[in-house]
Amino acid sequence: MAPTAPTAAKSASPSQPSGKSEVADLKQQLRQLAGSRAPDADDQRRDVFKRVISCMTAGIDVSAAFGEMVLCSATSDVVLKKMCYLYVGVHARNHPDLALLTINFLQRDCHDQDPTIRGLALRSLCSLRVPNLVEYLVSPLATGLKDPSAYVRMIAAVGAAKLYHISATACLDADLPAALKALMLSDPDAQVFGLLVCWPTAGSLFKSVIGGQVVANCMHALQEIWTLEAAKSEEAAREIETLYSKPVVFYLLNRIKEFSEWAQCLVLELVSNFLPSDNNEIFDIMNLLEDRLQHANGAVVLATIKVFLHLTMSMTDVHQQVYERIKAPLLTLVGAGSPEQSYSVLCHLHLLVMRAPMLFSSDYKSFYCQFSDPSYVKKLKLEMLTAIANESNTYEIVTELCEYAGNVDVPIARESIRAVGKIALQQYDVNAIVDRLLQFLEMDKEYVTAETLVLVKDLLRKYPQWSHDCIAVVGNISSKNIQEPKGKAALIWMLGEYSQDMHDAPYILESLVENWEEEHSPEVRLHLLTAVMKCFFKRPPETQMALGATLTAGLSDTHQDVHDRALFYYRLLQYDPAVAERVVNPPKQAVSVFADTQSSEIKDRIFDEFNSLSVVYQKPSYMFTDKEHRGPFEYSEDLTNLAVGAETTENTISAQRYQESDNDLLLSTSDKEDNATATSNGSSASTYNAPSDLSGPSLLSSQIPSETSLINPGAPTYSSQSNFSLDDLLGLGVPQASATPPAPALTLNSKPVLDPGTFQKKWGQLALSLSQECSLSPQGAASLMNPQSLIRHMQNNYIQCIASGGQPPNYKFFFYAQKDGATAFFLVECIVNTASAKAQIKVKADDGTAAEAFSTLFQSALSKFGLS
């Protein structure tokens, strides 16, 4: 017994391989077991195989044991076969020369009596993905599609799609798509009993797991093959139309109850793309799928709902009835299952609520937050409660939301306060809601006070009549107790806007100016500049000193935006205080509608992608998928490969009519806001020095004598051209901006017309006129967080964009312009790197003599981007 102890100890810990010595030992043991016929040989092989797989999982190269593993595959043990197939599939792809060794035993296993081994062998054979071995795949696949076992046919259907991706020619020459189509329409076993050969006691299990999967796999493989072939073959395009035809769709729907849940989802996805010829077909489909809404599986329910919604889009009354019908199943799914499943269903419910809030207003209690709900579920419920609030339920919803304001989960407490404010902005029972918000200010929680101040500011912008009640409470809040930038900025805004009603406003602002250096947020400093200016125009004597100190600090600020605003105010005051007042503190109208964070086009596109990740991410798929999966328009590295697709007129920016759309945006609204904040906080500029004689009393000496005497009768008066002339302002140490190219004599057509096909043809034919690099302003580079803004800016200069794309920090744009009074076009490829603020420009022109002038004009327009 003693000699066997080390071996036993060595095999007892297969999860801790020791490297090369371990691999050599495994090879030796595999070679000894290859021809063994001992009764326990299979058990020993299992132990060694487990150690090999363990080494492979740990990242150790065990390809040296490839031959020995193949030799040991000659067994009827299904577990050994599975481990061997796993090993072969991993190493055959990395070592194609070794893959040839596996062909014989895999082909032999494809004819095994056991359908499980036949299926596993066929799957492993198709998973090798070695182009040189394609000829060995065709025959087993053709045989597998006719196999008596449904399990093998299911594997063969997927294998046909794999073969197409390895070699489309071999797949089509073998006529596998025709065999798949015939199998899809005539497969006898919707409920699969093929595995009962091996596991007769597990029949009911496998009936539910892979029932109808043969048909579903055939359908999925055909969709994949014909969709890729449609661009090359008219026959494939006709086959796709056949797949979405009425006979096929209704054939699948009549058998859908026999299918597994996964197969049902595939069939329902196919049906959602079906175009009925009349309303009767729509009602027939809905009647066939009515019971699917009560299915226990959430994926089947959501897929069915997608079919109902898409089929009834053109039938307004029926579409509304569909919303009523699907409420109960969705609400049931929300309350059942795991939090993750509930969140997924809630995301779809959230999308429907945003489209038709009135239909869900009576079910508001279903969206109350439960104590056990995760934060991400609570946040979604709060958004839905905000959307469905109306005259009949506002009191109950606001009462519930106020309870959440004291939640120990701070993010949820913040969201609940914001939700109360959003409901108030919807003009429902404003009186009671304002009282509730003002009560939040009495809570001794800094984050509650900060969030409430932001909401009070928005309320006053929409309902100025509430200023008296709100200011009475806000005036008692000390700015020292508010540390959050947004809350402090909101308080400062109110101090400036309503300084005539707040007795201590000038003095509070003065104390904030004294602590200018301690305020790290540019947002707060910008608000402070504006608030002091407003207060000065309303209460000049009390604010004169504070204004001088504020402008001095602003002109010395290292943040570009703060410095520029201070300089702008300073020049306004120098030019004419009356004009400055009209600019900074004009009469204001109440805000009627606050901008939505997401455009209607984006929402419609998400709705079109119902029952997908787009709904969970709240973004269209092109915003989070790779370039090769982004629908009809693909951003290409080379214009010669620019794929515009069939929907060119809908996805390109027309030169005749430009509709502002988010379809070409590369960042979502939330991403842009986050990036804008990061840029604002991280940007820096050279230190600017204010004029040495700029102080409180002397600042206003630059004004005309009448204004100075009104503000400070005892102050000396100076001519507006004496000390603070424009020349003096330009000598403040401000670095000169880089000279922009002078506007050339070339003029452009204001409405050029060029379709994408002609653009692409011209780009391929014309020679490169010039290639240059130019710089963007820092403001322009920051503005490119929204690529659409550059497109609009260039359009204002009669330069149109026909295509755009890319990911931060690199963006690519294709522009064109037309010479006024001529047919000559200028084509531009512009690649912008926002990190370096550089742009690479390539120009091609019908009139090469004007290319230089056009390039100068283009760079002039580009250099001004972000400055206006």
Side-chain angles (χ1 to χ4, degrees):
M1 297 298 292
T4 62
T7 303
K10 189 172 186 178
S11 61
S13 58
S15 61
Q16 298 178 357
S18 58
K20 291 184 179 180
S21 60
E22 179 79 1
V23 175
D25 183 45
L26 291 173
K27 284 182 60 178
Q28 180 66 27
Q29 293 185 48
L30 287 170
R31 194 175 295 114
Q32 293 174 356
L33 293 171
S36 175
R37 294 179 177 241
D40 61 342
D42 282 346
D43 292 336
Q44 294 180 34
R45 289 193 190 99
R46 281 194 186 189
D47 292 337
V48 179
F49 274 35
K50 287 178 181 178
R51 291 167 59 194
V52 171
I53 299 300
S54 176
C55 289
M56 187 175 67
T57 305
I60 297 175
D61 183 9
V62 289
S63 59
F66 198 96
E68 286 75 9
M69 288 289 289
V70 173
L71 288 175
C72 288
S73 64
T75 177
S76 59
D77 191 301
V78 177
V79 176
L80 283 175
K81 290 283 187 184
K82 286 184 177 181
M83 287 192 286
C84 185
Y85 295 153
L86 174 62
Y87 174 87
V88 167
V90 170
H91 288 286
R93 208 171 304 171
N94 299 328
H95 304 278
D97 53 323
L98 299 177
L100 189 60
L101 300 175
T102 66
I103 295 298
N104 287 334
F105 92 85
L106 287 176
Q107 284 187 323
R108 183 177 65 250
D109 288 350
C110 286
H111 296 87
D112 196 275
Q113 293 183 354
D114 190 337
T116 305
I117 294 179
R118 292 202 303 271
L120 291 172
L122 184 58
R123 183 173 65 182
S124 300
L125 192 61
C126 296
S127 298
L128 296 179
R129 298 184 184 239
V130 179
N132 296 334
L133 304 180
V134 168
E135 57 183 299
Y136 301 104
L137 303 183
V138 176
S139 178
L141 281 175
T143 304
L145 291 173
K146 301 175 183 178
D147 196 279
S149 170
Y151 174 69
V152 180
R153 296 197 300 275
M154 177 182 72
I155 297 295
V158 177
K162 292 181 180 179
L163 176 61
Y164 177 83
H165 286 286
I166 300 172
S167 174
T169 304
C171 179
L172 299 175
D173 290 346
D175 208 16
L176 291 181
L180 288 171
K181 181 179 179 181
L183 183 61
M184 179 185 72
L185 298 177
S186 61
D187 186 74
D189 298 323
Q191 299 284 358
V192 177
F193 294 93
L195 293 185
L196 300 187
V197 176
C198 298
W199 295 285
T201 59
S204 59
L205 171 64
F206 285 100
K207 284 196 294 182
S208 62
V209 170
I210 60 173
Q213 200 63 46
V214 177
V215 175
N217 285 6
C218 289
M219 179 188 69
H220 194 68
L222 286 173
Q223 282 182 297
E224 194 166 328
I225 293 172
W226 283 338
T227 300
L228 295 174
E229 278 295 308
K232 314 171 190 175
S233 168
E234 293 183 2
E235 181 182 355
R238 289 194 297 271
E239 291 290 356
I240 290 180
E241 294 179 2
T242 303
L243 190 61
Y244 292 110
S245 63
K246 178 180 177 181
V248 174
V249 168
F250 277 86
Y251 167 77
L252 295 172
L253 287 176
N254 286 323
R255 298 184 63 186
I256 195 169
K257 295 180 182 178
E258 305 169 358
F259 295 165
S260 68
E261 294 167 345
W262 179 254
Q264 289 184 42
C265 291
L266 293 177
V267 171
L268 290 169
E269 183 64 27
L270 174 72
V271 176
S272 67
N273 296 319
F274 172 62
L275 299 177
S277 58
D278 54 38
N279 292 345
N280 290 331
E281 290 185 5
I282 294 177
F283 291 125
D284 289 341
I285 293 174
M286 294 173 68
N287 288 332
L288 285 171
L289 296 177
E290 174 70 20
D291 61 334
R292 298 297 91 189
L293 292 175
Q294 279 81 41
H295 201 281
N297 186 279
V300 175
V301 175
L302 289 175
T304 306
I305 289 174
K306 179 178 181 179
V307 174
F308 279 34
L309 292 173
H310 283 199
L311 289 179
T312 58
M313 282 295 292
S314 60
M315 307 164 66
T316 306
D317 295 339
V318 178
H319 194 68
Q320 182 173 340
Q321 294 175 16
V322 168
Y323 273 83
E324 294 286 354
R325 176 65 185 84
I326 64 179
K327 277 198 307 184
L330 285 174
L331 292 174
T332 301
L333 285 175
V334 170
S338 64
E340 293 78 12
Q341 178 181 337
S342 298
Y343 179 74
S344 177
V345 177
L346 268 175
C347 287
H348 290 79
L349 196 54
H350 174 266
L351 177 63
L352 300 178
V353 166
M354 294 303 168
R355 289 177 68 88
M358 292 300 296
L359 298 178
F360 295 88
S361 59
S362 60
D363 302 290
Y364 63 91
K365 290 186 178 179
S366 301
F367 305 122
Y368 282 177
C369 297
Q370 304 296 323
F371 177 80
S372 58
D373 286 341
S375 297
Y376 51 86
V377 172
K378 290 180 180 178
K379 185 176 183 297
L380 210 54
K381 287 185 175 181
L382 291 176
E383 292 180 12
M384 287 188 278
L385 285 172
T386 304
I388 63 178
N390 57 23
E391 294 90 342
S392 62
N393 58 23
T394 294
Y395 179 79
E396 290 81 3
I397 290 178
V398 171
T399 301
E400 181 72 13
L401 292 175
C402 290
E403 294 295 326
Y404 304 154
N407 199 300
V408 293
D409 189 346
V410 174
I412 295 302
R414 291 178 182 272
E415 288 294 336
S416 64
I417 297 172
R418 293 171 193 159
V420 173
K422 290 177 183 177
I423 294 174
L425 295 176
Q426 295 173 0
Q427 300 183 359
Y428 299 132
D429 196 12
V430 179
N431 188 7
I433 297 177
V434 170
D435 291 340
R436 298 287 185 91
L437 283 175
L438 295 180
Q439 289 176 10
F440 289 155
L441 294 175
E442 300 174 1
M443 297 178 64
D444 190 19
K445 294 183 179 179
E446 195 269 335
Y447 65 87
V448 174
T449 303
E451 292 292 343
T452 305
L453 285 173
V454 174
L455 293 176
V456 170
K457 180 197 72 172
D458 290 338
L459 280 173
L460 292 179
R461 292 173 62 197
K462 188 168 185 176
Y463 309 116
Q465 64 271 22
W466 288 97
S467 61
H468 185 269
D469 293 339
C470 294
I471 294 304
V473 179
V474 171
N476 297 325
I477 298 175
S478 173
S479 60
K480 297 180 180 179
N481 298 330
I482 304 173
Q483 301 301 323
E484 294 189 17
K486 288 186 177 180
K488 184 174 288 188
L491 177 61
I492 291 172
W493 179 87
M494 287 183 276
L495 288 171
E497 193 69 25
Y498 299 98
S499 55
Q500 73 277 8
D501 300 325
M502 303 176 70
H503 177 72
D504 294 332
Y507 312 108
I508 297 175
L509 292 173
E510 186 175 3
S511 65
L512 290 170
V513 173
E514 291 174 356
N515 298 319
W516 181 279
E517 298 298 332
E518 300 176 7
E519 185 52 63
H520 302 294
S521 171
E523 179 185 8
V524 174
R525 300 201 296 273
L526 287 168
H527 276 79
L528 188 55
L529 270 170
T530 305
V532 173
M533 282 285 287
K534 290 179 179 178
C535 187
F536 168 73
F537 293 123
K538 296 172 183 178
R539 299 168 68 172
E542 300 168 272
T543 319
Q544 178 180 334
M545 295 290 292
L547 179 59
T550 304
L551 292 180
T552 301
L555 288 169
S556 303
D557 201 283
T558 58
H559 193 276
Q560 184 72 50
D561 293 342
V562 178
H563 169 269
D564 289 351
R565 184 174 295 188
L567 188 60
F568 172 66
Y569 288 163
Y570 179 60
R571 289 178 175 173
L572 274 176
L573 288 171
Q574 182 192 36
Y575 174 74
D576 188 346
V579 173
E581 183 174 10
R582 290 200 300 272
V583 172
V584 179
N585 192 40
K588 295 181 178 61
Q589 294 182 349
V591 177
S592 57
V593 178
F594 285 86
D596 199 348
T597 57
Q598 208 172 51
S599 70
S600 58
E601 291 85 358
I602 291 287
K603 294 177 180 177
D604 290 340
R605 183 145 182 184
I606 295 174
F607 181 77
D608 292 338
E609 297 174 1
F610 193 88
N611 194 26
S612 71
L613 281 176
S614 298
V615 181
V616 178
Y617 292 161
Q618 297 185 16
K619 300 177 183 178
S621 58
Y622 70 85
M623 288 187 174
F624 58 84
T625 52
D626 294 335
K627 289 184 292 186
E628 60 268 22
H629 301 114
R630 283 184 189 165
F633 183 88
E634 291 185 20
Y635 167 69
S636 176
E637 296 298 331
D638 184 3
L639 186 64
T640 57
N641 298 322
L642 184 65
V644 178
E647 299 177 6
T648 299
T649 56
E650 296 179 8
N651 291 277
T652 57
I653 301 172
S654 172
Q656 293 176 313
R657 59 174 183 82
Y658 173 77
Q659 294 182 346
E660 185 172 340
S661 169
D662 284 332
N663 285 348
D664 289 331
L665 294 187
L666 307 176
L667 296 174
S668 68
T669 304
S670 60
D671 292 333
K672 288 184 285 187
E673 291 175 350
D674 293 343
N675 290 340
T677 303
T679 304
S680 174
N681 292 337
S683 59
S684 62
S686 302
T687 303
Y688 297 94
N689 298 317
S692 58
D693 55 350
L694 181 60
S695 60
S698 63
L699 164 70
L700 299 176
S701 63
S702 63
Q703 304 173 17
I704 56 176
S706 59
E707 289 288 340
T708 307
S709 60
L710 287 174
I711 296 172
N712 189 358
T717 61
Y718 295 88
S719 169
S720 60
Q721 279 80 25
S722 58
N723 291 338
F724 294 99
S725 64
L726 186 59
D727 292 338
D728 293 330
L729 289 173
L730 292 177
L732 299 180
V734 182
Q736 296 291 330
S738 58
T740 58
L746 176 67
T747 57
L748 300 178
N749 185 352
S750 60
K751 295 183 178 180
V753 179
L754 186 65
D755 63 271
T758 306
F759 184 98
Q760 188 167 345
K761 183 178 179 181
K762 280 180 173 289
W763 187 270
Q765 294 175 346
L766 294 174
L768 183 64
S769 299
L770 54 90
S771 178
Q772 295 177 330
E773 180 181 271
C774 64
S775 300
L776 276 74
S777 65
Q779 297 91 333
S783 299
L784 261 178
M785 288 183 293
N786 178 5
Q788 203 82 348
S789 59
L790 176 59
I791 294 173
R792 288 193 288 267
H793 171 77
M794 300 305 285
Q795 282 188 326
N796 292 334
N797 291 274
Y798 306 145
I799 300 172
Q800 309 295 329
C801 178
I802 199 168
S804 64
Q807 294 287 349
N810 296 311
Y811 297 97
K812 181 185 280 190
F813 301 87
F814 289 105
F815 295 101
Y816 69 93
Q818 186 178 19
K819 189 175 181 180
D820 193 25
T823 58
F825 279 94
F826 303 98
L827 313 182
V828 183
E829 178 193 76
C830 180
I831 302 176
V832 181
N833 184 287
T834 56
S836 62
K838 298 288 186 182
Q840 295 285 343
I841 300 172
K842 294 180 181 179
V843 178
K844 296 185 178 184
D846 289 327
D847 181 6
T849 60
E852 187 70 34
F854 171 75
S855 175
T856 304
L857 188 150
F858 185 90
Q859 292 184 55
S860 175
L862 192 62
S863 65
K864 297 174 183 177
F865 174 56
L867 299 179
S868 57

